[in-house]
Amino acid sequence: MGLCFPCPGESAPPTPDLEEKRAKLAEAAERRQKEAASRGILDVQSVQEKRKKKEKIEKQIATSGPPPEGGLKENGHEL
């Protein structure tokens, strides 16, 4: 019958190095993210360029500081 433990004379199979295991898991995660990001998209390069442009604009808005006084107004009343 099967036993859960190795025989006393046998050594346990070598376990992979933790750093090596982490590296493989990270590579697999990156590969899954790339596959998921490109799923259903015909032109991946175009989508990436648009995303970078949007991030650049958002960064410029964030670094430009608060908007000028007044803000939005509707019929002479501030919102």
Side-chain angles (χ1 to χ4, degrees):
M1 294 231 180
L3 298 174
C4 295
F5 303 103
C7 295
E10 297 178 14
S11 64
T15 58
D17 183 28
L18 287 178
E19 292 298 321
E20 182 180 328
K21 187 175 180 179
R22 287 182 185 141
K24 286 183 180 181
L25 289 173
E27 288 174 14
E30 285 181 27
R31 186 171 49 252
R32 285 192 303 272
Q33 285 179 342
K34 286 180 183 178
E35 290 172 358
S38 64
R39 190 171 294 137
I41 300 173
L42 298 177
D43 189 4
V44 177
Q45 184 69 25
S46 173
V47 172
Q48 289 175 348
E49 288 174 6
K50 288 178 184 178
R51 184 178 298 144
K52 287 180 183 179
K53 184 176 180 181
K54 182 180 177 182
E55 289 174 358
K56 183 179 177 183
I57 291 171
E58 288 175 353
K59 186 177 179 182
Q60 286 177 347
I61 291 171
T63 58
S64 67
E69 290 183 31
L72 297 175
K73 293 186 179 183
E74 181 178 303
N75 296 333
H77 297 43
E78 278 196 47
L79 295 177

